[in-house]
Amino acid sequence: MKQLLTVVSRRTVAQGATELVCRLEQPQVIAPGRFMHLRVGPLLRRPISIARVDHDLITFLFKEIGQGTAELASLRPDDTIDALGPLGNGFPIAAIHPTQRVVLVGGGIGVPPLYETMRQLVARGVTCEAILGFDTATSVFYEAEFQALGKTTVTTVDGTHGIAGFVTAALHPESYDVLLACGPEPMLKSLQQQPIEHKYLSIENRMGCGIGACFACVCQTPTGGYVKTCSDGPVFRAEEVVL
Ligand code: FES
C-alpha cells in the first residue's frame, strides 16, 4: 500500500540516530516488526523499521548510514514522504501466551522494532524483559522507554554504559521460553544457538524492491532453498534460516 506520510517531528536520540514521527494518511493497526519502504530520492527507497504506532502517528528510528538516510534525517515538520507499506510479516505476538517468559534482544538499529513489539506484548498481559546492545554510551537510545515497560538491561561493547560486552553477556537462556531478536547478523547468529525453545529473528538484509520482486534480500534455508527477507520475513523462526 502506497501512502503519503507527513512529518510531525524530528529529533536526534543518540549519536547519528534520528527519530522521525509522521502522520499516516489512515490510522491503522500495524503488527510489530513490520517496516516501511520510504522514498529517499527519485529512484531509491530505504526499508525503515517502525519503532512505535499510536493511532495515526508512526515513529521511525534510523541511523544515518548514507545519502538516503541522511536525506530522511534532514526532513522537517510538514514535509511529506512517499511510503510503501507496512511491509513484511512482523513478530507473531498473537502466538505468545502470557505465561511464557519472553526476552527481547536488540542490537543497535535493531532495537527500534522491539520497542513497539514490547509495547504490544505488555498491552496483551505478557511480561517481557529487554536486553539492548550498543557500541558505546553515546549510541544508546530508548533505555528509559523500555524500562517503563519491563526489566531492561543495556550492554555496550566498550563498557562505557551498562554491562560490558555483547548482548549475550546479559542473556540467561534458561530464564526464557521465547526470544524475539533484531540486530546485526553476527548477533543473530549467536542467538540462533541459544537453548531457548522458541526463537524468532528479524533479519536486517540489504533490500532493493522491498516487495519480493528483485531477489536482493535472499537468505538461505537449511534445506538449500532460500527465502526473501522482505516478503517472507523479515521475521523467521531461528531454525528456518542459515545465517
Ligand atoms: Fe526485492 Fe526482497 S528486496 S525481493
Side-chain angles (χ1 to χ4, degrees):
M1 173 189 163
K2 226 173 164 185
Q3 56 182 311
L4 210 58
L5 308 178
T6 306
V7 175
V8 174
S9 66
R10 180 202 62 181
R11 69 179 177 124
T12 301
V13 291
Q15 196 169 20
T18 301
E19 179 197 72
L20 205 58
V21 180
C22 301
R23 196 170 302 283
L24 292 157
E25 273 186 331
Q26 300 275 338
Q28 58 192 124
V29 176
I30 299 178
R34 302 191 76 195
F35 65 95
M36 288 259 192
H37 216 201
L38 305 183
R39 188 181 287 283
V40 293
L43 295 169
L44 273 188
R45 288 184 184 274
R46 287 282 175 270
I48 305 290
S49 59
I50 298 167
R52 180 172 180 152
V53 185
D54 297 280
H55 193 59
D56 64 343
L57 292 181
I58 186 164
T59 302
F60 301 102
L61 205 159
F62 53 91
K63 254 197 159 152
E64 281 179 53
I65 47 170
Q67 203 186 331
T69 41
E71 207 164 296
L72 282 177
S74 68
L75 291 172
R76 295 162 176 226
D78 295 328
D79 284 346
T80 54
I81 311 173
D82 173 336
L84 200 58
L87 300 173
N89 56 358
F91 287 106
I93 59 164
I96 297 172
H97 194 268
T99 56
Q100 290 181 302
R101 301 164 302 164
V102 179
V103 63
L104 298 98
V105 183
I109 213 59
V111 167
L114 296 181
Y115 181 56
E116 177 62 15
T117 307
M118 191 151 160
R119 287 180 80 220
Q120 292 199 24
L121 282 168
V122 169
R124 298 171 77 95
V126 181
T127 303
C128 303
E129 190 176 326
I131 300 173
L132 314 176
F134 297 93
D135 289 337
T136 186
T138 52
S139 325
V140 177
F141 56 81
Y142 275 21
E143 184 178 6
E145 285 84 344
F146 274 91
Q147 266 164 353
L149 296 173
K151 183 181 171 195
T152 300
T153 307
V154 170
T155 64
T156 49
V157 177
D158 64 3
T160 48
H161 189 77
I163 293 176
F166 294 107
V167 287
T168 40
L171 186 76
H172 304 287
E174 66 285 355
S175 306
Y176 318 108
D177 304 304
V178 182
L179 173 140
L180 307 175
C182 185
E185 196 171 301
M187 183 195 96
L188 296 181
K189 207 171 170 152
S190 76
L191 293 174
Q192 204 176 22
Q193 315 305 327
Q194 299 293 328
I196 299 174
E197 190 178 359
H198 304 285
K199 297 185 287 284
Y200 297 93
L201 311 177
S202 181
I203 296 177
E204 294 179 332
N205 255 6
R206 180 172 287 278
M207 285 189 196
C209 68
I211 51 167
C214 77
F215 290 72
C217 65
V218 293
C219 184
Q220 269 201 326
T221 66
T223 53
Y226 65 86
V227 284
K228 294 175 190 169
T229 306
C230 68
S231 53
D232 299 318
V235 177
F236 297 97
R237 290 192 76 101
E239 57 275 16
E240 282 179 321
V241 285
V242 178
L243 295 173

PDB file of all heavy atoms in Angstrom, residues 37 206-218 228-231, ligand 1:
ATOM      1  N   HIS A  37       8.873   1.097   3.394  1.00  0.00           N
ATOM      2  CA  HIS A  37       9.900   1.384   2.404  1.00  0.00           C
ATOM      3  C   HIS A  37       9.719   2.846   2.002  1.00  0.00           C
ATOM      4  O   HIS A  37       8.770   3.192   1.294  1.00  0.00           O
ATOM      5  CB  HIS A  37       9.689   0.445   1.207  1.00  0.00           C
ATOM      6  CG  HIS A  37      10.949  -0.017   0.589  1.00  0.00           C
ATOM      7  ND1 HIS A  37      11.035  -0.488  -0.683  1.00  0.00           N
ATOM      8  CD2 HIS A  37      12.206  -0.090   1.070  1.00  0.00           C
ATOM      9  CE1 HIS A  37      12.283  -0.833  -0.959  1.00  0.00           C
ATOM     10  NE2 HIS A  37      13.005  -0.598   0.091  1.00  0.00           N
ATOM     11  N   ARG A 206      20.166  -6.260   3.226  1.00  0.00           N
ATOM     12  CA  ARG A 206      20.108  -5.205   2.211  1.00  0.00           C
ATOM     13  C   ARG A 206      18.885  -5.467   1.331  1.00  0.00           C
ATOM     14  O   ARG A 206      18.599  -6.613   0.996  1.00  0.00           O
ATOM     15  CB  ARG A 206      21.375  -5.279   1.362  1.00  0.00           C
ATOM     16  CG  ARG A 206      21.463  -4.250   0.278  1.00  0.00           C
ATOM     17  CD  ARG A 206      22.831  -4.301  -0.347  1.00  0.00           C
ATOM     18  NE  ARG A 206      23.833  -3.741   0.544  1.00  0.00           N
ATOM     19  CZ  ARG A 206      24.067  -2.437   0.669  1.00  0.00           C
ATOM     20  NH1 ARG A 206      23.386  -1.568  -0.041  1.00  0.00           N
ATOM     21  NH2 ARG A 206      24.986  -1.986   1.486  1.00  0.00           N
ATOM     22  N   MET A 207      18.139  -4.425   1.000  1.00  0.00           N
ATOM     23  CA  MET A 207      16.942  -4.629   0.190  1.00  0.00           C
ATOM     24  C   MET A 207      16.950  -3.766  -1.058  1.00  0.00           C
ATOM     25  O   MET A 207      17.609  -2.728  -1.101  1.00  0.00           O
ATOM     26  CB  MET A 207      15.688  -4.294   1.001  1.00  0.00           C
ATOM     27  CG  MET A 207      15.341  -5.353   2.008  1.00  0.00           C
ATOM     28  SD  MET A 207      13.751  -5.050   2.746  1.00  0.00           S
ATOM     29  CE  MET A 207      13.868  -6.136   4.173  1.00  0.00           C
ATOM     30  N   GLY A 208      16.210  -4.218  -2.057  1.00  0.00           N
ATOM     31  CA  GLY A 208      16.021  -3.445  -3.276  1.00  0.00           C
ATOM     32  C   GLY A 208      14.569  -3.016  -3.350  1.00  0.00           C
ATOM     33  O   GLY A 208      14.174  -1.980  -2.831  1.00  0.00           O
ATOM     34  N   CYS A 209      13.760  -3.890  -3.963  1.00  0.00           N
ATOM     35  CA  CYS A 209      12.360  -3.511  -4.218  1.00  0.00           C
ATOM     36  C   CYS A 209      11.500  -3.492  -2.957  1.00  0.00           C
ATOM     37  O   CYS A 209      10.557  -2.721  -2.851  1.00  0.00           O
ATOM     38  CB  CYS A 209      11.756  -4.484  -5.232  1.00  0.00           C
ATOM     39  SG  CYS A 209      11.560  -6.152  -4.568  1.00  0.00           S
ATOM     40  N   GLY A 210      11.792  -4.367  -1.992  1.00  0.00           N
ATOM     41  CA  GLY A 210      11.013  -4.425  -0.747  1.00  0.00           C
ATOM     42  C   GLY A 210       9.714  -5.208  -0.869  1.00  0.00           C
ATOM     43  O   GLY A 210       9.009  -5.401   0.109  1.00  0.00           O
ATOM     44  N   ILE A 211       9.411  -5.687  -2.079  1.00  0.00           N
ATOM     45  CA  ILE A 211       8.116  -6.356  -2.279  1.00  0.00           C
ATOM     46  C   ILE A 211       8.246  -7.733  -2.946  1.00  0.00           C
ATOM     47  O   ILE A 211       7.316  -8.224  -3.564  1.00  0.00           O
ATOM     48  CB  ILE A 211       7.146  -5.463  -3.090  1.00  0.00           C
ATOM     49  CG1 ILE A 211       7.835  -4.973  -4.375  1.00  0.00           C
ATOM     50  CG2 ILE A 211       6.641  -4.296  -2.257  1.00  0.00           C
ATOM     51  CD1 ILE A 211       6.888  -4.348  -5.379  1.00  0.00           C
ATOM     52  N   GLY A 212       9.416  -8.337  -2.842  1.00  0.00           N
ATOM     53  CA  GLY A 212       9.564  -9.709  -3.325  1.00  0.00           C
ATOM     54  C   GLY A 212       9.879  -9.870  -4.795  1.00  0.00           C
ATOM     55  O   GLY A 212       9.796 -10.976  -5.324  1.00  0.00           O
ATOM     56  N   ALA A 213      10.278  -8.805  -5.483  1.00  0.00           N
ATOM     57  CA  ALA A 213      10.444  -8.896  -6.938  1.00  0.00           C
ATOM     58  C   ALA A 213      11.889  -8.930  -7.426  1.00  0.00           C
ATOM     59  O   ALA A 213      12.142  -9.324  -8.557  1.00  0.00           O
ATOM     60  CB  ALA A 213       9.722  -7.730  -7.601  1.00  0.00           C
ATOM     61  N   CYS A 214      12.864  -8.542  -6.604  1.00  0.00           N
ATOM     62  CA  CYS A 214      14.217  -8.357  -7.155  1.00  0.00           C
ATOM     63  C   CYS A 214      15.272  -9.338  -6.647  1.00  0.00           C
ATOM     64  O   CYS A 214      16.379  -9.372  -7.162  1.00  0.00           O
ATOM     65  CB  CYS A 214      14.687  -6.932  -6.880  1.00  0.00           C
ATOM     66  SG  CYS A 214      15.211  -6.674  -5.171  1.00  0.00           S
ATOM     67  N   PHE A 215      14.994 -10.101  -5.619  1.00  0.00           N
ATOM     68  CA  PHE A 215      15.921 -11.097  -5.064  1.00  0.00           C
ATOM     69  C   PHE A 215      17.154 -10.481  -4.382  1.00  0.00           C
ATOM     70  O   PHE A 215      18.124 -11.167  -4.140  1.00  0.00           O
ATOM     71  CB  PHE A 215      16.375 -12.094  -6.146  1.00  0.00           C
ATOM     72  CG  PHE A 215      15.285 -13.034  -6.587  1.00  0.00           C
ATOM     73  CD1 PHE A 215      14.232 -12.587  -7.367  1.00  0.00           C
ATOM     74  CD2 PHE A 215      15.292 -14.364  -6.189  1.00  0.00           C
ATOM     75  CE1 PHE A 215      13.217 -13.439  -7.768  1.00  0.00           C
ATOM     76  CE2 PHE A 215      14.281 -15.223  -6.583  1.00  0.00           C
ATOM     77  CZ  PHE A 215      13.240 -14.761  -7.371  1.00  0.00           C
ATOM     78  N   ALA A 216      17.141  -9.188  -4.093  1.00  0.00           N
ATOM     79  CA  ALA A 216      18.308  -8.554  -3.463  1.00  0.00           C
ATOM     80  C   ALA A 216      18.458  -8.981  -2.002  1.00  0.00           C
ATOM     81  O   ALA A 216      19.519  -8.795  -1.414  1.00  0.00           O
ATOM     82  CB  ALA A 216      18.173  -7.037  -3.532  1.00  0.00           C
ATOM     83  N   CYS A 217      17.417  -9.544  -1.425  1.00  0.00           N
ATOM     84  CA  CYS A 217      17.400  -9.752   0.027  1.00  0.00           C
ATOM     85  C   CYS A 217      17.356 -11.226   0.419  1.00  0.00           C
ATOM     86  O   CYS A 217      16.976 -11.535   1.536  1.00  0.00           O
ATOM     87  CB  CYS A 217      16.180  -9.053   0.599  1.00  0.00           C
ATOM     88  SG  CYS A 217      14.646  -9.799   0.006  1.00  0.00           S
ATOM     89  N   VAL A 218      17.716 -12.134  -0.507  1.00  0.00           N
ATOM     90  CA  VAL A 218      17.512 -13.556  -0.197  1.00  0.00           C
ATOM     91  C   VAL A 218      18.435 -14.046   0.911  1.00  0.00           C
ATOM     92  O   VAL A 218      19.542 -13.552   1.104  1.00  0.00           O
ATOM     93  CB  VAL A 218      17.672 -14.468  -1.438  1.00  0.00           C
ATOM     94  CG1 VAL A 218      16.584 -14.224  -2.445  1.00  0.00           C
ATOM     95  CG2 VAL A 218      19.048 -14.333  -2.028  1.00  0.00           C
ATOM     96  N   LYS A 228      12.930 -14.818   0.957  1.00  0.00           N
ATOM     97  CA  LYS A 228      13.153 -13.389   0.728  1.00  0.00           C
ATOM     98  C   LYS A 228      12.873 -12.655   2.041  1.00  0.00           C
ATOM     99  O   LYS A 228      11.776 -12.779   2.608  1.00  0.00           O
ATOM    100  CB  LYS A 228      12.215 -12.877  -0.359  1.00  0.00           C
ATOM    101  CG  LYS A 228      12.525 -13.481  -1.716  1.00  0.00           C
ATOM    102  CD  LYS A 228      11.496 -13.028  -2.717  1.00  0.00           C
ATOM    103  CE  LYS A 228      11.618 -13.801  -4.007  1.00  0.00           C
ATOM    104  NZ  LYS A 228      10.486 -13.577  -4.887  1.00  0.00           N
ATOM    105  N   THR A 229      13.864 -11.893   2.486  1.00  0.00           N
ATOM    106  CA  THR A 229      13.712 -11.198   3.768  1.00  0.00           C
ATOM    107  C   THR A 229      12.548 -10.219   3.728  1.00  0.00           C
ATOM    108  O   THR A 229      11.816 -10.077   4.691  1.00  0.00           O
ATOM    109  CB  THR A 229      15.003 -10.435   4.114  1.00  0.00           C
ATOM    110  OG1 THR A 229      16.082 -11.353   4.050  1.00  0.00           O
ATOM    111  CG2 THR A 229      14.948  -9.847   5.497  1.00  0.00           C
ATOM    112  N   CYS A 230      12.360  -9.566   2.577  1.00  0.00           N
ATOM    113  CA  CYS A 230      11.349  -8.503   2.527  1.00  0.00           C
ATOM    114  C   CYS A 230       9.922  -9.038   2.554  1.00  0.00           C
ATOM    115  O   CYS A 230       9.072  -8.492   3.244  1.00  0.00           O
ATOM    116  CB  CYS A 230      11.551  -7.619   1.303  1.00  0.00           C
ATOM    117  SG  CYS A 230      11.205  -8.447  -0.259  1.00  0.00           S
ATOM    118  N   SER A 231       9.668 -10.112   1.803  1.00  0.00           N
ATOM    119  CA  SER A 231       8.278 -10.559   1.683  1.00  0.00           C
ATOM    120  C   SER A 231       7.979 -11.823   2.484  1.00  0.00           C
ATOM    121  O   SER A 231       6.853 -12.021   2.930  1.00  0.00           O
ATOM    122  CB  SER A 231       7.904 -10.763   0.213  1.00  0.00           C
ATOM    123  OG  SER A 231       8.834 -11.621  -0.411  1.00  0.00           O
TER     124      SER A 231
HETATM  125 FE1  FES B   1      13.471  -7.231  -3.672  1.00  0.00          FE
HETATM  126 FE2  FES B   1      13.336  -8.568  -1.356  1.00  0.00          FE
HETATM  127  S1  FES B   1      14.072  -6.573  -1.697  1.00  0.00           S
HETATM  128  S2  FES B   1      12.941  -9.310  -3.335  1.00  0.00           S
END
